[in-house]
Every structure is written in C-alpha cells, then in structure tokens.
C-alpha cells in the first residue's frame, strides 16, 4: 500500500493538455459484428449482369470445381464457380423453370414451360434425352441423391413423375396434388424418398418404392408452397410459402418445429448453407429483395442482407465458397469467398521443417557473453524475462489544437472549418464558448471566412446532433454581422439556402408535433389500461 | 474522534536542515512531512490557536545538520521552542498577545557572532508582529498591529519596545543574512537594520521605500543590498543598494551624500537606493517573491499560477507553467535540488530544482468550487464512500478529489471535465454534483457548461466505474443533456443494484441501469436509460431509494411521489409541504422518509410511508441529511436561525457556531443528541460504516475541514483535548442543549401533530384531505390557495404513471 501510494504520488501531474474532442456518439447496444454476420458478409461481390430475363433457377455441381448452372429465359448457362465466367450455353424451346445436376456432376437435367424435361451432358451441346410426358409446364426436376438413373419432375398438371432416364419412360405417376406442383426435393440420405410442394398448400412425402402412387405423409403449410428443401439430417424439411418459412419434423410425424416470418413478400427460394464451423443455416430469398439467414436450431434470424431487386432463386456452392442469388431483372448477385487453402499447405510445410526450426532456436539463443548479443538490432524481439520499458505516448495535437493552445481563437475556428469535419467544428465551437471567445471570433472574421462559416451553418444547423448550438449561433451571426452580409452577392445564395433549410425544418417539426398529438392520447389510454 | 482537512497553506512551510523533512503549519499543530514520500511523520501539538510562524533553527556547520530545533509563534500568544525529531516541547514563552509574525535575526547571522552574542548577553532577540486590542479600546486611532522586540532568552516577556504601529498586523520579512527586516505597509516598505551591538538599548534604524501601487510581497537579497517587491498589478520592482546612507554598515558612517541630484534611475523621491528597475510579466498580483540561496535568481509567482525564475543580472525568464492554482509561498531547501511551492488549493508541490519538475505533492483537502449563483445550495459537492471512509469532493479545477477521511490524506484526483483550470478566469464549466453508490464502486457526476450569450450551454451526466486495485475511477458513460436542456437537481444510487436515478428541474426523472451484467466484461459496461417518469410536469428536486431499494421517492416540488423503480409505476403521492423539497432520505430500512426544504420557509419533515402521512416537522433549515443503513437512525445538519444567534442569552452556547448536527432515531421527534458546529453552510454529513461495524458520523464543513466521530459514545474526555480548537469546535450538549436551544417542548402526541411554536407545518394528507383537514384548531387552517388546489385535486381522477 505504502509503496503503491508513493508511486502514484510520484507521477502526479498537475496539469495536462486536453485536445479538443468531438462529443462521443451513442453506440448501438447490441454488437453489430457477430461471427455469424462476419461470415455472411465476407462474400465478395461479383455480379453477373446482362442475362436476359428473370433468373428462375440456379444449381451447383456437387463435384469439384462446382460449376454453376443458371437458368434464365430459354437458356441454361454454365459458369465456372471460380472465375464466374460463362463457359457454355444450352438453349431450350421455352422458358427454363428448373435445373439440377446429377450426383457425379457429369449430367444435368432441366425442364421448361413446354412440359419437356431434358438431360444434357455438360460437355455436349445436344440433349442426351428428352422426356415428354407432362401435359402442362414442368416446374421442377430433381435427381435423387445418389441415384444416377432416375429423375423426379413435377408440373402444373399436378402430377409428380418418376422417370427412368435411360429409357426415357415414366416409371410411376405420383398423383395426389390438387393444384400446380411447384417444387420438390429428394432426401439427402435415401434415394427413394422425396417431397413435393404444391399450390394446394400441402407438401407431400413420397416413397418411390411404394408403387401405389399414394403419398406416405402430408403437411399443410397454410399457403401456396413456393419451395421445399430437405435439411441435411434428412429427417426435417423446410418449406417456403407466402411470407413465411417453416421447418417441419418428418420423423416426428410432420410437426412444425419453428417458423420464420421476417420477410415482407413471398419467399421464392430456400437453400441450406454450411458455415465454417460445420453448422448449417437455412438461407432464404424473397421478392422483397432480402436474403435472410435463419438459424433453425435457435429459431433466430442471424443475418439479413438487402439486394436491389426482387430475388427469384438462390444457390450455395457445396464447398461454401460461392453464394449466388438470381434476381428478377436478370442480374445474378454472386459472392465469392477466399478459400483458406494456404493454411493447409503451411501445416504440411511445418511438418517437414521441424528439424530446421529446432536448429534455428539453438542458433538464436543469445548470451551476454556472445558477441552477437551486442549486435542485436532494433527489430530484436524481447525475450520473456526482459523488462519492457514502456515509452510514454505522445499526445497528437491537431492544427486547431495547437492554435487554441496559443490562444489564436479565430484562426483555430477557421482552420477547423477548412477541415470539413462537422463534429470537430462543433467541438472547437464548444471550447470557444467555454473560453467565452466564440462571439469575438465571429465578429473578427473576414469576408471569406464568414462565407465559410455561413456555408457550414447552412449545411449543419438543422442536423439534430448539432442544432442545439448551431441554431443559436446562426441567429447571432446573422445579427452581429448583418451589415457585412447585407447586399453581398456571394452571400445571397447561402442565405437563400439557409432560409430554405430553416423553413423545411420548421415544417418537419410541425408535422412531428401533429404526430405527437395523435399518439399522445393513445399512449395515455395504453398507460391507463 | 478524527479531525482533519486543515489548511496547509496558512503560513509558509519550512524545510529541516537536512532537507528530508518539511514542516507545515496545520491549524493548531505543526505537521512534519517526509520530503521523500510526502507522508506525514509526526506533528507538534501544544498551541491552542493557529500557528502563524515557523522558524527552523538553521545549521551553522555541517555537523549541526542533524539538529532539529524550531521556534513557533501562534495566535494564542505563546512562542514555543521545539525539538521536532522527538517531538518534544523545550520551552514556552508567553507573549500575551496574538502573534501574527515573528523573525529571529540572530539565528541567521554568522555562527561565531551568535556564539559571541549568546556568551555576551545570553539573549535571543526576536521581532514580532502582534495584535494589541487593548490599545484600540483606549486609543482613538485603530492601530492594532504592532511590531515589537522581544527577548526570547527570558522565560516571560513583558511588553517589548514598539517599533511601528499599523492598522492591521503585518507579516515581517527578514533578509537571509539576518541584517535587515521589514514590513510592507500599503505602498511602502519599512526596513530596519538589526542592531549589531547586541545591547538591549541599541535602537535599530529605519528607512522607507515608496511605490505608487500597493505592495503585495517583497524579499531581501541574501548577500547584497537588493530588495525585490511585487505589487498588485503584477510588477516586480528591484531596488539595488538600499540604505547606503541611512543604514550604513556598522558605525563607520560614510560620507553622507549631499548631492541628491545624482541620477538614480527610477528611484522615487528621496528614497535611499541607487537604482530601481521594474520587471513586468505577471498579469495579476504577485504573491510570491524569493531569491535563490546564492542570489543569482529571483522566483516570483502570483495569481495566474505560474512560477517565474528571473536571472537577476539579465532579467531572463524561465517558467513553470500550469500549476493550476494561485501560488502562495516558495521555499528553497538546504538541499539545492529540492524546493517547494505552496498553492492556494491546499497543495504543497515539491520541485526538483534546476529542472523545476514536480516531484511529488503533499495534498490537503481542496477548497470547494465557487459555484455560480443559481447553483448555490443545490449542488452536492461532497459524497462519501461509507465503507472505506473516503470522501469524493468536487474541486475548483474540474476534478473530483478522493480524500481518505480516516488517514487525512488525498488519494487521487479524477479529471471530470477535460479542461485545464486557470485561476482567475471566468467560470464557464462547473461540476455541480457528485454521488457515490453505497458500495463505492460507481461514481456519478454532473457538470454544466454555462452558455455564452445564450448559446452553447450543455449539461452532462457522467458515470464512473471504480478500479478496485488503484482506487481511482474511469469513465464509463457520458450522457449529454440527460434531461434535455434542464439541469440535473439530484442523483441517487440504488442501495444494492447498479441502478441510479437523476432528477431534473425540467420536470422528469430518469432511472439509469448498468448493462454490465449481461456482457460480463467490465470494459463494455455502460449505463442506459431504463425508465422516464414525471408527475404533473412539476420540477423534480430530490430523490432517494428506500433501504431495500424497492421504493423510489422523488420530490416533485412540494409533494413526494413514491415509485416502483423496476416497473416505473407511481405507487402513491405524499401530501404537500409548504415549500419545495430539496433533500430526501429514507431513515435506514424503516418506513420513515425525511424531507428537507429551504426557500422561502425552511422545513424539516418526517413522513411515514406506510401510513402516507406526516409524522412530525420542524422549521429548521437543513443543509444535509444522512441515515444509517441498518438502524433507523438519521442525522441532519441544520443551520441555526439568526434569531437564535443574536439572542444575548444564548450567545455563550453557540460561541460563534452557526450550525448543529441533530441525531434522531426513527419516528421520535426528540433528537438523541445534538452537536453544535461552525461553518455549517455548505457542509455535509454522512454515516460511515467501517469493517468494525462501528457507526461513525463524518461532518465536512463549508470550508472542508472535517471531523469523524462516534455518535453513540460519550466523547467528553476527548472533547477536552479538542475543545481549544477554535476552527471546528464540537460540543456534546445532549438534551440539555436542545431545551436551551428551542425552549421546553410541549408534550407530544405522536398520532396527531400539534403546532410547535409555529415551527411545524399544518398537516395535510394528500390522499383524503377532507377528512383530516378541519380536525385541528381553526388557527391552523391551511391558506386558501392551498385548500383550493387540494380541493380540485380531490375532485379529479388521479393519474398514474406518465410513460413517455
């Protein structure tokens, strides 16, 4: 205690220099930066413009290098997911509604609004197979999880078809939907399980092994279903319809686990995203232009991002490096992440260099008896037992601080006005008020400086944070320097703008008062009850 | 009983011969501080009035450096000789007159001369400045100050020879060589030389130097015949070669220069000097003048708080700026690398000499800030940490000083506003209030930036978090304009949780909570507004949490509103006092609520919150209220009304004391005990609860002297030890004192309050006024205006909490 007290008394300093600081502003209570948001905002923007019309479907190849198929208008374009450059185009007779890669990534299937499902080799221009059976526009096509020989498709005729691709024949028609079938997904754990969603508000679960064309389970979303996905466990599905996204437990008998209703318009597409920590999130896009990341484990929206167009489709590459979103204006909002391959390489390197490192530490051990000990340079790192003498941090003084220190008040005000940082200007003005020198500064200003001050006042006097000081100051400046301002051409524009700003502010205040008048009785009633 | 907070700066301090100790006059005692640590070592106790002069007997040879003798003179009329290494009182000489200043020239003379003189005559001549009131009563002229010569060798001094009479006692300045001494008197300096013969009747010769301005300070050069004087305008005058004619050396009279027309530059009139030069740097009065020990430099300082070092031959200057307080004294020490400068804010800075760095500071309690008119009586500039006995005091230089009342020393200072204080500048920023939470972990301050021409005013509220290891506070949250542009009237902390309430004159109060519980990290903890409340848009003037923290009482001018602080629900309203309430306090954990109001009619009232009615009240002006945490005892600091003080019969009871501390217990209107105190205005009291579960009461008076005592034990034995202390005498008078103060009380009926000599207020319960309002005597009816408001209020529907 005694010792410590002495130390403190010793560094007693009577008086210090305090630089003029702007008032600190309120910080948000919640942290803006969470690991989650950092992950989702770290996709670097690469837009693919100039696609003709609305991007109706996106699909990533399940195998490396995860090439991307984009369905827009009557075309499917293949992009490489690394450079996001177009590599190949496939044309259709009608607007393509859905596209899907086979599990080995060698083939993809696509369906169009003429009701035709076509299968392409990604390296060849012509279709390998053309499957015709739908009597209305086909809306979705899916390869089962590992199965390379079959396809599932559905369409506006309300029929879900299970195809044998090689023979181009329908194995079974799955009947049951009473309205357009718009979406479907195949189970990620079982080749024969699939779900389909329809505009009759229901999602039906099918098993292709049961040949009675009867669904094995049904859940009711309550709204026309726009998209349905299996969650990675295969026991849960997520459905999108209307403004809501719902998560259902299939194994538990089709019970709803949670729902997310933070979109303002129809949710168009869902996708399962995998984070770095191997956690999965449900990502949804909607016509309101928002992409939302939903943590269905905690039933919480963890990230939200806005795009400048209604969003139609969504795709996340299986390695998590690319995120693509298709807009209704033909824009593909792609985002790419830097992959951390380098880390792995380094690790392998260090495995080999263990020996050399040991050598190095032995070499580097320095003793005061060595000659090298005295040749250490500035970059020498302190060892553990070294006592670090901390250098006193010098105080950084800005130009106006130095001028204020010399009591050159007007010059300080002018120099800070030149800086164009309103918070600093207001801080200097407050300091001048505390020194009782602000009005003197104003009355001493020359014409050009006065113009600068008026320009500043015109721009910022109605800003809420500064208006308490600046409104009064504006009035004082106009009063004290009236004869200098009057009749000068260079000031007329400024004065006109100032007047307009003030009038606008008065209007805003009036309308706010009106709103308050409306709200106050309501609040009172609420308080009473 | 602990006493402290005395001023260190009433008279110049003095270094011991080895420069390791610094002797400081502190009230009636002389405190000895270590120059190496800045902590107090010992004190010389014995004087019964403030010590005015302190002379350390200088060492004439290196071997004598260990000698620790000093002379002190005091207003109690005694001169004492001490050995301060002991400390031991060696000798007491009774001069019978209050001594304001004393010099002993022979101590400073050459050693062989001293020996010779002592051998010759056994005499020690001192020149003293005394105040002789007896002369005033007889004589027509009011010349109370006398300069006299005493012989200290004799045990008892009769009246000495009077050299000069002045209106007020002046302080005597002696030259370091011991040859001359002098006093300043308005625009003149009178100088005498010390008769070297040593005979009693050798008359010392006198000369006078004139100036056109009032001289504030002067100093003699250590070797040459040079005098430096500083005046009220900030000029420093250097007279060289004074007294060549009148005070010629020895008896070998030189030829008197008949030719006065010799061109003596700058010399006024017939003054006996060779030349006079003027240096002007100081913008305000010069208070400090001192030559360096070798005579090459002159130190000067004044109100602006800058120590200036002049090179005597060239007039070149060096500065130690930004000391932040007017300088009072500058003392160099026998050690050439150490000197000290004494500031008006009760700080003694020890300087490392050639570089003039401040080595360390002996920090006394700082003076209260001078507040602008509108904040007088409303500001609470003292807060107490009850467990550790630390007081947080607002100071002039925008700081909060943490002062340990139990050890009587300053701990640290916290810069509340990031500004440098310049003494003498116009006050533009004021720290108006400081509050500490019950456990001392959170401090809250409010400051007001006064507007210039109506623009740029700013009120801000700051919350500070304690750093437990270093006992200082770091800023956690700033709230600008917490109640729009209205001032903050009071801050109160929740007794157990991190919650605070601030009330404003603008008609609302805000409850603040700390959100550190969620984040776990202390650094991110911040205070956010939890709730806002208001009651009929009345100015909120005071606030207090109940002992368990479940009820928040907020005074809305004359009524007290009780709230649930968590849900922000108005629980009930306690009826009206006559005047706006300024202080609120719950009496411990009991249901009693103490309210005090000032203007225009002072009142102290105690309310029962369970019955929602007043229990009793007095017409006392209360400066401060405090209550114990565990018991229902509370104490108030009351200012004694003028009518009592002027009463002749009660004069000896008060003896110049203007305040009283009254200790009450719960609902009992009879005080348990009473102590009378001085300088109660602006004073503050608090209970201190240490680890020893000992309840103590701390009282800090208006000029920041304090006393800590146990209110329950009879301290009469200690009273005798401290009663001589004229600064803040306390007296245990008990009930006898109470009756002598206020006369015999009529018998109390506690259920229903009777009027006690017009001290009590008419009793009005706000809830159902019509049942009780007419129950008393007709003479006690409330005024019609009061009734009218109550009547209409009773007709209207009661509004619950106003949520914004």
């Amino acid at each position: 205690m005694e010792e410590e007290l002495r130390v403190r008394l010793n560094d007693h300093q009577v008086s210090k220099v305090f630089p003029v600081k702007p008032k600190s502003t309120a910080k948000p209570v919640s942290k803006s930066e969470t690991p989650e948001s950092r992950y989702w905002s770290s996709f670097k923007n690469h837009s693919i413009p100039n696609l003709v019309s609305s991007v109706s479907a996106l699909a990533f190849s399940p195998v490396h290098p995860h090439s991307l198929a984009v369905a827009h208008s009557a075309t499917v374009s293949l992009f490489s997911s690394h450079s996001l450059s177009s590599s190949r185009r496939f044309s259709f007779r009608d607007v393509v509604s859905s596209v899907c890669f086979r599990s080995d990534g060698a083939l993809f299937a696509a369906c169009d609004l003429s009701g035709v499902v076509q299968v392409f080799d990604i390296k060849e221009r012509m279709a390998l197979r053309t499957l015709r059976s739908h009597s209305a526009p086909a809306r979705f096509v899916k390869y089962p999880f590992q199965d390379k020989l079959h396809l599932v498709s559905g369409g506006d005729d309300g029929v879900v078809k299970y195809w044998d691709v090689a023979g181009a024949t329908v194995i079974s028609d799955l009947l049951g939907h009473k309205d357009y079938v718009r979406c479907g997904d195949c189970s990620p754990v079982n080749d024969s399980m699939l779900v389909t969603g329809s505009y009759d508000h229901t999602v039906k679960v099918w098993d292709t092994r049961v040949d009675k064309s009867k669904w094995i389970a049904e859940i009711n979303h309550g709204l026309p279903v726009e998209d349905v996905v299996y969650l990675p466990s295969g026991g849960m599905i997520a459905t999108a319809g209307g403004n809501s996204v719902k998560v259902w437990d299939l194994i538990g008998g089709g019970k709803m686990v949670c729902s997310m209703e933070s979109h303002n318009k129809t949710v168009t597409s869902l996708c399962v995203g995998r984070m770095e920590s191997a956690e999965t999130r449900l990502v949804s896009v909607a016509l309101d232009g928002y992409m939302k990341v939903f943590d269905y484990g905690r039933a919480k929206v963890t990230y939200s991002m806005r795009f400048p167009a209604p969003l139609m489709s969504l795709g996340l590459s299986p390695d998590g490096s690319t995120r693509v979103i298709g807009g209704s204006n033909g824009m593909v909002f792609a985002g790419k992440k830097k992959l951390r391959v380098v880390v792995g390489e380094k690790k392998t390197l260090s495995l080999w260099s263990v020996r050399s490192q040991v050598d190095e530490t032995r070499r580097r051990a320095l003793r005061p008896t060595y000659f090298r000990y005295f040749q250490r340079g500035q970059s020498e790192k302190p060892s553990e037992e070294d006592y670090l003498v901390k250098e006193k941090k010098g105080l950084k003084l800005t130009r106006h601080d130095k001028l204020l220190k010399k009591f050159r008040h007007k010059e300080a005000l002018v120099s800070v006005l030149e800086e164009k940082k309103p918070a600093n200007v207001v801080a200097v003005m407050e300091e001048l008020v505390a020194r009782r020198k602000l009005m003197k500064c104003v009355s001493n200003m020359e014409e050009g400086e006065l113009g600068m001050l008026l320009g500043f006042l015109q721009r910022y006097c109605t800003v809420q944070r500064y208006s308490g000081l600046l409104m009064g100051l504006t009035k004082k400046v106009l009063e004290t320097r009236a004869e200098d301002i009057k009749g000068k051409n260079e000031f007329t524009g400024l004065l006109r703008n100032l007047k307009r700003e003030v009038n606008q502010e008065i209007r805003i205040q009036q309308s706010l008062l009106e709103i308050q008048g409306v709200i106050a009785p309501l609040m009172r009633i609420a308080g009473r009850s | 009983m602990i006493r402290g907070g005395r001023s260190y700066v009433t008279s110049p301090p003095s270094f011991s011969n080895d420069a390791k100790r610094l002797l400081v006059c502190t009230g009636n005692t002389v405190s000895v501080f270590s120059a190496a640590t800045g902590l107090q070592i010992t004190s010389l106790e014995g004087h019964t009035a403030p010590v005015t002069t302190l002379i350390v007997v200088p060492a004439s040879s290196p071997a004598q450096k260990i000698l620790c003798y000093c002379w002190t003179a005091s207003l109690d009329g005694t001169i004492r000789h001490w050995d301060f290494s002991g400390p031991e009182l060696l000798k007491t000489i009774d001069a019978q007159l209050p001594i304001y200043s004393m010099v002993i020239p022979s101590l400073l003379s050459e050693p062989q001369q001293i020996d010779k003189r002592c051998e010759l005559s056994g005499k020690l001549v001192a020149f003293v400045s005394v105040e002789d009131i007896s002369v005033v009563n007889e004589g027509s002229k009011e010349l109370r100050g006398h300069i006299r010569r005493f012989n200290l060798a004799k045990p008892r001094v009769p009246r000495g020879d009077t050299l000069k009479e002045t209106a007020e006692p002046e302080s005597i300045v002696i030259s370091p060589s011991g040859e001359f001494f002098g006093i300043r008197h308005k625009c003149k300096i009178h100088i005498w030389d010390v008769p070297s013969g040593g005979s009693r009747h050798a008359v010392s010769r006198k000369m006078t130097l004139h100036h056109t301005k009032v001289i504030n300070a002067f100093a003699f050069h250590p070797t040459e015949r040079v005098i430096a004087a500083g005046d009220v305008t900030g000029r420093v005058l250097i007279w060289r070669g004074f007294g060549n004619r009148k005070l010629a050396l020895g008896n070998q009279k030189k030829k008197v220069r008949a030719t006065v027309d010799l061109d003596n530059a700058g010399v006024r009139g017939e003054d006996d000097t060779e030349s006079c030069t003027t240096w002007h740097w100081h913008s305000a009065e010069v208070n400090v003048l001192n030559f360096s020990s070798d005579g090459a430099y002159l130190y000067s300082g004044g109100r602006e708080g800058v120590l200036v070092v002049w090179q005597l031959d060239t007039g070149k200057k060096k500065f130690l700026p930004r000391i932040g307080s007017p300088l009072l004294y500058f003392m160099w020490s026998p050690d050439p690398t150490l000197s000290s400068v004494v500031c008006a804010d009760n700080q003694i800075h020890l300087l490392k000499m050639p570089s003039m760095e401040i080595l360390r500071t002996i920090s006394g309690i700082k003076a209260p800030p001078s507040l602008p008119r509108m904040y007088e009586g409303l500001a609470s500039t003292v807060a107490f940490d009850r467990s550790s006995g630390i007081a947080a005091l607002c100071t002039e230089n925008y700081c909060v000083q943490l002062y340990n009342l139990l050890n009587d020393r300053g701990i640290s200072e916290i810069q509340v506003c990031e500004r440098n204080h310049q003494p003498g500048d116009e006050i533009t920023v004021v720290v108006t209030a400081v509050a500490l939470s019950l456990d001392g972990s959170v401090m809250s301050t409010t400051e007001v930036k006064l507007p210039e021409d109506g623009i740029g005013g700013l009120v801000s509220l700051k919350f500070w978090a304690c750093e437990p290891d270093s006992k200082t506070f770091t800023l956690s949250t700033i709230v600008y304009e917490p109640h729009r542009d209205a001032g903050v009237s009071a801050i109160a902390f929740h007794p157990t949780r991190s919650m605070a309430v601030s009330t404003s004159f603008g008609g609302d109060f805000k409850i603040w909570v700390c959100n550190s519980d969620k984040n776990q990290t202390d650094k991110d903890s911040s205070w956010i507004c939890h709730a806002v409340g208001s009651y009929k848009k009345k100015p909120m003037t005071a606030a207090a949490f109940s002992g368990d923290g479940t009820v928040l009482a907020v005074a809305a001018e004359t009524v007290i509103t009780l709230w649930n602080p968590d849900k922000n629900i108005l629980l009930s309203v306690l009826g009206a006092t006559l005047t706006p309430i300024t202080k609120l306090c719950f009496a411990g954990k009991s249901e009693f609520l103490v309210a005090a109001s000032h203007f225009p009619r002072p009142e102290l009232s105690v309310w029962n919150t369970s019955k929602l009615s007043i229990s009793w009240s007095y017409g006392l002006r209360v400066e401060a209220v405090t209550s114990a945490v565990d018991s229902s005892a509370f104490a108030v600091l009351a200012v004694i009304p003028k009518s009592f003080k002027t009463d002749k019969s009660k004069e000896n009871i008060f003896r110049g004391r203007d305040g009283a501390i009254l200790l009450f217990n719960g609902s009992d209107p009879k005080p348990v005990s009473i102590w009378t105190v001085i300088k109660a205005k602006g004073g503050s009291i608090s209970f201190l609860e240490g680890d020893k579960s000992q309840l103590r009461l701390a009282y800090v008076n208006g000029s920041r002297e304090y006393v800590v005592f146990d209110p329950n034990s009879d301290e009469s034995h200690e009273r005798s030890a401290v009663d001589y202390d004229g600064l803040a005498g306390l007296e245990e008078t008990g009930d006898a004192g109470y009756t002598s103060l206020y006369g015999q009380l009529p018998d109390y009926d506690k259920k229903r309050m009777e009027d006690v000599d017009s001290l009590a207020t008419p009793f009005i319960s706000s809830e159902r006024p019509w049942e009780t309002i007419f129950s008393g005597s007709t003479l006690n009816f409330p005024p019609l205006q009061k009734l009218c408001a109550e009547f209409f209020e009773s007709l209207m529907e009661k509004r619950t909490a106003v949520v914004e």
Side-chain angles (χ1 to χ4, degrees), chain B residues 381-664:
Chain B
T381 55
V382 185
F384 296 90
D385 179 0
R386 291 176 167 226
S387 50
S388 57
I390 288 171
L393 310 119
C394 296
T395 62
E396 188 92 53
N397 55 350
Y398 322 117
C399 286
V400 166
Q401 187 188 21
L402 294 181
Y403 198 86
N404 193 332
L405 297 182
L406 306 177
N407 298 348
D408 192 13
R409 65 169 176 242
I411 297 172
S412 57
E413 254 177 59
I414 301 139
Q415 189 84 34
V416 174
C417 309
E418 295 210 322
R419 294 187 61 73
N420 274 321
H421 174 67
Q422 180 59 32
D425 275 6
E426 191 185 352
I427 297 165
T428 56
V429 180
V430 197
V431 180
T432 55
V434 59
L436 277 173
S437 68
L438 202 64
D439 56 350
S441 64
V442 188
M443 181 172 77
S444 176
T445 58
T446 58
E447 70 206 48
V448 178
K449 229 180 217 175
L450 302 173
E452 176 192 10
D453 270 1
I455 57 171
L458 181 74
V459 182
S460 43
L461 172 71
K462 289 181 178 170
F463 289 98
W464 305 77
C466 179
E467 282 181 0
D469 46 338
S470 58
K471 218 32 186 159
T472 61
F473 287 85
T474 49
L475 185 61
S476 129
T477 309
I478 312 180
V479 185
Y480 296 108
E481 306 196 318
H483 301 277
R484 290 192 215 96
D485 48 355
V488 175
S489 55
I491 315 168
F493 276 97
H494 194 280
T496 50
R497 289 170 27 206
S498 51
M499 178 188 267
V501 62
S502 67
T503 61
S504 87
F505 301 111
D508 60 345
F509 69 89
K510 287 191 179 175
I511 298 174
W512 307 89
V513 291
C514 185
N515 64 355
S516 63
D517 314 324
K518 300 166 199 163
N519 292 352
Q520 299 295 331
T521 48
D522 269 359
K523 288 215 170 153
D524 299 335
S525 76
S526 63
W527 289 74
I528 53 170
C529 185
H530 170 68
V532 185
S534 68
Y535 182 74
K536 294 185 179 175
K537 301 280 178 211
K538 283 185 184 174
M540 301 288 195
T541 47
F545 280 98
S546 67
D548 53 356
T550 52
V551 179
L552 167 68
V554 181
E557 255 183 345
T558 55
V559 296
I560 303 168
T561 53
L562 299 178
W563 301 76
N564 179 335
D566 290 316
K567 295 174 182 160
N568 198 29
I569 299 167
L570 181 63
L571 301 174
S572 61
V573 179
L574 288 179
T577 57
L578 290 177
T579 49
I581 293 166
T582 53
K583 298 250 167 18
L584 272 181
C585 181
F586 274 91
K589 287 210 159 65
S590 69
E591 72 270 29
F592 294 101
L593 179 62
V594 187
S597 46
H598 273 202
F599 306 108
R601 255 186 72 178
E603 186 181 356
L604 167 72
S605 50
V606 173
W607 298 77
N608 189 331
T609 54
S610 59
K611 291 178 191 159
L612 299 177
S613 65
I614 196 167
S615 310
W616 49 268
S617 77
Y618 286 121
L620 279 176
R621 174 169 169 189
V622 172
E623 278 287 324
V625 186
T626 181
S627 77
V629 171
D630 301 323
S631 64
S632 63
F634 66 92
V636 299
L637 173 65
V639 177
I640 295 171
K642 282 224 171 73
S643 56
F644 281 100
K645 272 190 283 183
T646 49
D647 197 342
K648 282 273 175 190
S649 62
K650 283 156 188 159
E651 216 163 48
N652 11 342
I653 299 172
F654 294 115
R655 294 204 302 246
R657 289 158 192 181
D658 57 354
I661 299 173
L662 297 96
L663 180 67
F664 293 96

Side-chain angles (χ1 to χ4, degrees), chain B residues 55-180:
Chain B
I55 302 167
V56 174
V57 178
S60 49
S61 64
Q64 285 181 336
K65 283 211 168 179
I66 48 162
L67 289 183
C68 303
Y69 296 111
C70 70
W71 290 88
T72 58
S74 157
L75 290 182
D76 63 359
T78 57
I79 300 167
R80 290 174 195 239
H81 191 205
W82 306 82
D83 179 358
F84 59 85
S85 62
E88 195 181 351
L89 177 62
L90 302 176
K91 191 172 175 185
T92 306
I93 297 155
D94 193 358
Q96 290 161 332
L97 289 170
I99 300 168
Y100 282 82
S101 182
M102 174 177 78
V103 290
I104 307 174
S106 52
L107 292 178
L108 299 164
S109 309
E110 293 302 307
Q112 55 269 48
Q113 283 183 337
I114 287 184
D115 296 342
K116 216 187 285 171
R117 275 182 212 171
C118 290
E119 279 167 27
L120 278 174
S121 55
K123 256 201 220 169
L124 196 56
V125 175
F127 295 91
V128 295
S129 165
V130 295
E131 184 180 29
D132 197 347
I133 307 166
S134 60
V135 182
V136 175
N137 291 341
E138 296 158 14
S140 55
K141 275 192 194 169
E142 292 206 357
L143 294 176
R144 292 183 290 147
H146 289 227
I147 307 295
R148 291 188 182 170
R149 189 169 70 171
F150 284 165
N151 186 355
L152 300 180
K154 290 183 181 170
R156 197 173 163 77
V157 183
R159 229 179 123 118
D161 316 328
T162 303
L163 296 175
K164 172 80 185 167
E165 295 182 355
T166 53
E168 294 290 327
E170 302 286 348
S171 70
I172 311 175
V173 178
I174 190 163
S175 71
S177 60
E179 285 178 76
F180 307 101

